[in-house]
C-alpha cells in the first residue's frame, strides 16, 4: 500500500512539473508578439504597405504606419480569439473533460504553427488565422493544466498561479525564435519544430492527464492518466461498458445563472477587463512606441524588444507570490462559525487590491514618454500580468462551485475579450488624430484602471457583513445559564 501511495505521489509531481514545462514553453507564446513582429518586418511581411513620404521640413522618410496597423490588427484578433473562444471551450471542458479539450488545443496549436511555417511575405495574410490558432490552442493548455492544483490541497492557489505565471513567461518563446533567426535559423524551421512538439503534448494527454476532470478534493484512491486508462480498458473487457460508464466529478445541478448574475462575477469581470485592455494595448503597440521613443533606431528597438521579452521569463517567478499570499492568509485560524469559503474570500482581498495597484503603477510608467523608464515599465508589466491572470483563475475557483469553473472562467475571459477589442480603435486614434502620440489614450486608460479597485472593496464589505451576521447570530443565542 505504501508503495502505491509513493507511486501516486511521484505521478502527481511528475504531472505538475511536465504541465509547468508545457505552459512555460508553449501556452502563451502569442503574447511575445513584439519579438515576432521584429522578425516579420525583417522578412518583409506587409512591406507593400510602406510608402515614401515627406516631412514638413522637406526630408523624406518611409512611412510604415499601414504595416504597423496590420500587425496590431493581427494581435488584436488573436488576443480576442484567445479569450472569446474560452466560452465554448469552457463548456466543452466541463462537459466532455480534459482529453477532448486537450486534443482540440493540440490540433489548433499545431495547425497555427504550420501556417506560420509556410507563410511568406507574399502570403502575409495567413498570419491572421495562424496567430489565432496558436492563441486558442495555448490557452487550452493552460485551462486543462490548472486543475492539477486540485491534487495538492492547501497549495491549490499557489499551483494555479504558478501555472498562470508559466503561461505569461512562455511569451519569451518568440524571443527565442528571434534570437535563432538572428543566428541564421529560418522562421520556417523554428515553427516546424513547434508543430512537431504536438507529439509531446499527445503523449502527456494520454499518460499523465485525466480523461474527464480532476475533482476537488480528490476522493481516496483517486487515479488518473495511464493507470486510469488501464482500469477503464479492464472495465470495458469485463463489463462491456468501457468509457461510457466513466463519470466526471460530481456536479452540482443548477446554479450557473445565479453565478453569472452575482455581483462578485460582474465586478470581477470589470476588474479583469480594464486591466487586460491596458496590457493588450501595451503589447500590441510596443513596437511602434519604441520606434517613436528611439527615433527609429533599429539597434535600440531591438535592444528594448529583447529586454521586454527577457522580463517575460520572470512571470513564472512572480505569479506564485500571489498564490502564496492567498494560501498563507487562508492558513490562519478561522473565526468561530466562519466557513472555508468565507476565509478564502477574505484571503483574496489583499491579492485583488495589490493587482489593481500594480496595474495603476504600470500604466503610469507606460504613459511616461521617457525611454529608460521603459525598463521599469517592463518589470511592472510582467509582475502585474502574472498577478492578474493567476488571481483571476484563483478567485473563480474560490468564489464559485468547482463544477462550474470551466464555464465561468471561459465566460469571464470571453466577455473581457469584448472590452479588449477597444485596443484597435485606440491604436487607430493614436496613429491618426493624435499623430502617433499615445499620451491622451494612456491617461484615459490610467483613469479607467481605477475601476479595478471597486472589486476588492466589494469582496471586503461582503466579508465584513458575513462577520457581522455571525456576531449577531451568536449574540441572539440563549446563554447556558438562562
Amino acid at each position: 500500500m505504501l508503495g502505491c501511495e509513493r507511486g501516486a505521489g511521484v505521478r502527481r509531481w511528475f504531472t505538475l512539473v511536465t504541465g509547468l514545462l508545457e505552459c512555460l514553453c508553449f501556452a502563451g507564446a502569442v503574447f511575445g508578439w513584439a519579438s515576432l513582429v521584429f522578425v516579420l518586418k525583417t522578412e518583409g511581411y506587409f512591406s507593400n504597405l510602406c510608402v515614401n513620404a515627406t516631412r514638413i521640413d522637406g526630408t523624406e522618410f518611409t512611412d510604415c504606419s499601414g504595416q504597423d496597423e496590420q500587425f496590431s490588427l493581427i494581435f488584436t484578433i488573436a488576443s480576442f480569439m484567445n479569450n472569446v473562444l474560452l466560452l465554448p471551450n469552457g463548456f466543452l471542458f466541463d462537459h466532455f473533460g480534459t482529453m477532448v479539450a486537450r486534443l482540440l488545443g493540440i490540433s489548433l496549436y499545431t495547425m497555427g504553427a504550420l501556417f506560420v511555417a509556410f507563410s511568406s511575405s507574399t502570403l502575409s495574410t495567413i498570419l491572421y488565422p495562424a496567430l489565432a490558432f496558436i492563441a486558442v490552442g495555448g490557452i487550452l493548455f493552460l485551462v486543462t493544466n490548472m486543475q492539477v492544483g486540485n491534487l495538492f490541497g492547501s497549495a491549490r492557489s499557489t499551483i494555479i498561479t504558478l501555472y498562470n505565471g508559466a503561461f505569461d513567461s512562455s511569451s519569451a518563446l518568440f524571443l527565442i525564435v528571434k534570437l535563432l533567426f538572428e543566428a541564421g535559423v529560418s522562421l520556417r524551421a523554428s515553427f516546424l519544430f513547434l508543430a512537431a512538439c504536438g507529439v509531446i503534448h499527445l503523449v502527456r494527454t494520454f499518460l499523465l492527464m485525466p480523461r474527464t476532470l480532476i475533482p476537488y478534493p480528490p476522493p481516496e484512491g483517486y487515479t488518473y492518466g495511464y493507470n486510469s486508462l488501464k482500469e477503464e480498458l479492464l472495465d470495458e473487457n469485463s463489463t462491456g461498458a468501457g468509457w461510457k460508464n466513466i463519470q466526471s466529478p460530481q456536479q452540482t445541478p443548477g446554479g450557473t445563472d445565479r453565478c453569472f448574475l452575482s455581483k462578485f462575477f460582474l465586478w470581477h469581470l470589470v476588474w479583469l477587463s480594464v486591466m487586460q485592455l491596458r496590457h493588450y494595448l501595451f503589447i500590441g503597440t510596443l513596437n511602434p512606441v519604441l520606434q517613436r521613443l528611439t527615433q527609429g533606431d533599429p539597434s535600440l528597438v531591438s535592444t528594448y524588444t529583447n529586454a521586454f521579452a527577457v522580463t517575460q521569463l520572470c512571470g513564472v517567478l512572480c505569479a506564485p507570490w500571489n498564490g502564496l499570499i492567498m494560501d498563507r492568509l487562508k492558513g490562519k485560524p478561522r473565526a468561530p462559525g466562519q466557513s472555508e469559503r468565507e476565509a478564502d474570500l477574505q484571503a483574496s482581498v489583499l491579492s485583488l487590491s495589490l493587482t489593481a495597484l500594480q496595474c495603476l503603477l504600470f500604466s503610469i510608467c507606460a504613459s511616461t514618454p521617457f525611454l529608460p523608464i521603459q525598463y521599469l515599465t517592463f518589470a511592472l508589466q510582467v509582475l502585474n500580468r502574472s498577478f492578474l491572470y493567476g488571481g483571476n483563475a484563483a478567485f473563480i475557483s474560490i468564489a464559485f462551485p468547482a463544477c462550474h469553473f470551466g464555464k465561468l472562467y471561459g465566460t469571464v475571459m470571453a466577455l473581457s475579450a469584448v472590452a479588449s477589442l477597444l485596443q484597435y480603435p485606440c491604436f487607430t486614434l493614436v496613429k491618426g488624430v493624435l499623430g502617433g502620440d499615445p499620451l491622451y489614450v494612456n491617461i484615459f486608460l490610467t483613469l479607467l484602471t481605477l475601476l479595478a479597485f471597486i472589486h476588492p472593496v466589494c469582496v471586503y464589505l461582503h466579508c465584513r457583513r458575513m462577520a457581522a451576521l455571525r456576531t449577531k447570530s451568536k449574540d441572539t443565542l440563549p446563554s447556558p445559564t438562562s
Side-chain angles (χ1 to χ4, degrees):
M1 184 68 181
L2 184 61
C4 293
E5 291 176 356
R6 187 181 296 116
V10 170
R11 186 167 65 253
R12 283 200 303 270
W13 280 101
F14 194 55
T15 301
L16 170 66
V17 172
T18 55
L20 192 62
L21 289 173
E22 183 174 74
C23 289
L24 182 62
C25 297
F26 302 97
V30 70
F31 295 104
W33 178 239
S35 297
L36 188 60
V37 165
F38 189 89
V39 176
L40 295 173
K41 282 187 173 182
T42 305
E43 289 284 89
Y45 284 71
F46 297 111
S47 58
N48 60 305
L49 298 176
C50 293
V51 296
N52 294 324
T54 305
R55 294 189 178 93
I56 298 175
D57 59 4
T59 58
E60 294 186 352
F61 72 102
T62 303
D63 181 11
C64 289
S65 57
Q67 183 188 39
D68 288 334
E69 188 173 344
Q70 289 298 312
F71 286 131
S72 178
L73 184 57
I74 289 171
F75 179 76
T76 299
I77 292 173
S79 57
F80 175 75
M81 299 298 286
N82 174 72
N83 286 0
V84 77
L85 287 184
L86 265 179
L87 178 56
N89 287 338
F91 279 86
L92 179 140
F93 176 59
D94 281 346
H95 186 72
F96 293 103
T98 305
M99 186 175 293
V100 172
R102 283 184 61 82
L103 290 176
L104 175 62
I106 294 166
S107 300
L108 290 172
Y109 199 96
T110 303
M111 195 182 307
L114 289 173
F115 276 14
V116 177
F118 292 104
S119 67
S120 65
S121 58
T122 56
L123 288 173
S124 300
T125 53
I126 203 173
L127 291 176
Y128 282 95
L131 266 292
F133 287 163
I134 289 173
V136 176
I139 197 70
L140 280 171
F141 290 158
L142 174 64
V143 171
T144 55
N145 276 306
M146 281 193 294
Q147 62 180 324
V148 174
N150 294 348
L151 299 171
F152 291 86
S154 60
R156 185 186 183 201
S157 295
T158 303
I159 299 299
I160 290 174
T161 54
L162 183 63
Y163 273 120
N164 278 270
F167 177 83
D168 293 338
S169 294
S170 65
S171 58
L173 174 65
F174 285 167
L175 169 63
I176 297 172
V177 171
K178 175 179 178 289
L179 295 176
L180 289 173
F181 178 79
E182 292 172 340
V185 178
S186 69
L187 188 67
R188 175 169 296 183
S190 294
F191 276 88
L192 284 176
F193 175 78
L194 290 178
C197 287
V199 176
I200 300 174
H201 304 315
L202 284 173
V203 170
R204 189 168 177 275
T205 298
F206 289 107
L207 301 187
L208 288 174
M209 295 298 287
R211 179 181 173 271
T212 54
L213 305 174
I214 299 177
Y216 182 76
E220 186 177 352
Y222 174 73
T223 60
Y224 64 93
Y226 179 63
N227 284 3
S228 180
L229 288 176
K230 285 196 300 183
E231 291 176 9
E232 291 168 16
L233 289 173
L234 288 173
D235 181 64
E236 181 178 15
N237 291 333
S238 59
T239 66
W243 284 357
K244 294 180 181 179
N245 286 335
I246 300 298
Q247 301 294 322
S248 34
Q250 186 175 357
Q251 304 278 311
T252 303
T256 311
D257 294 343
R258 190 176 172 187
C259 294
F260 287 147
L261 297 176
S262 69
K263 63 178 181 180
F264 278 173
F265 182 82
L266 296 176
W267 280 117
H268 187 69
L269 175 61
V270 173
W271 178 85
L272 176 64
S273 297
V274 297
M275 289 190 280
Q276 182 172 260
L277 175 61
R278 170 71 269 193
H279 282 274
Y280 280 6
L281 187 65
F282 177 76
I283 296 170
T285 61
L286 180 60
N287 190 269
V289 165
L290 290 178
Q291 292 275 358
R292 178 183 178 84
L293 293 177
T294 62
Q295 282 76 51
D297 185 337
S299 62
L300 267 179
V301 172
S302 180
T303 299
Y304 275 85
T305 301
N306 288 351
F308 172 71
V310 168
T311 58
Q312 301 307 297
L313 286 170
C314 299
V316 71
L317 303 177
C318 298
W321 300 350
N322 196 7
L324 288 169
I325 289 171
M326 298 175 73
D327 285 335
R328 184 172 180 81
L329 291 174
K330 283 193 299 183
K332 291 184 177 180
R334 296 205 297 265
Q338 185 183 42
S339 68
E340 184 177 355
R341 178 177 178 271
E342 289 174 44
D344 289 347
L345 284 173
Q346 189 171 332
S348 70
V349 173
L350 179 59
S351 167
L352 296 171
S353 304
L354 278 176
T355 305
L357 179 61
Q358 290 165 1
C359 190
L360 181 62
L361 295 175
F362 153 63
S363 190
I364 292 172
C365 289
S367 304
T368 306
F370 182 56
L371 187 60
I373 206 174
Q374 299 313 308
Y375 288 118
L376 177 59
T377 305
F378 298 161
L380 287 171
Q381 191 270 342
V382 70
L383 177 65
N384 182 236
R385 192 159 172 267
S386 298
F387 268 62
L388 177 63
Y389 290 109
N392 170 46
F395 181 80
I396 291 174
S397 70
I398 286 169
F400 304 103
C403 60
H404 298 316
F405 176 82
K407 292 183 282 290
L408 291 167
Y409 184 77
T411 302
V412 78
M413 293 296 283
L415 293 177
S416 67
V418 176
S420 73
L421 286 176
L422 290 173
Q423 64 181 298
Y424 186 68
C426 285
F427 178 81
T428 305
L429 180 65
V430 170
K431 299 296 289 186
V433 177
L434 298 178
D437 186 357
L439 178 63
Y440 293 109
V441 170
N442 283 331
I443 291 174
F444 169 72
L445 292 175
T446 302
L447 294 174
L448 194 65
T449 302
L450 295 174
L451 291 175
F453 287 93
I454 298 176
H455 183 37
V457 170
C458 286
V459 177
Y460 174 75
L461 292 177
H462 172 80
C463 293
R464 289 296 299 268
R465 282 196 299 271
M466 295 302 294
L469 287 173
R470 286 197 309 272
T471 303
K472 183 178 179 180
S473 176
K474 183 178 179 181
D475 292 342
T476 57
L477 291 174
S479 68
T481 57
S482 61

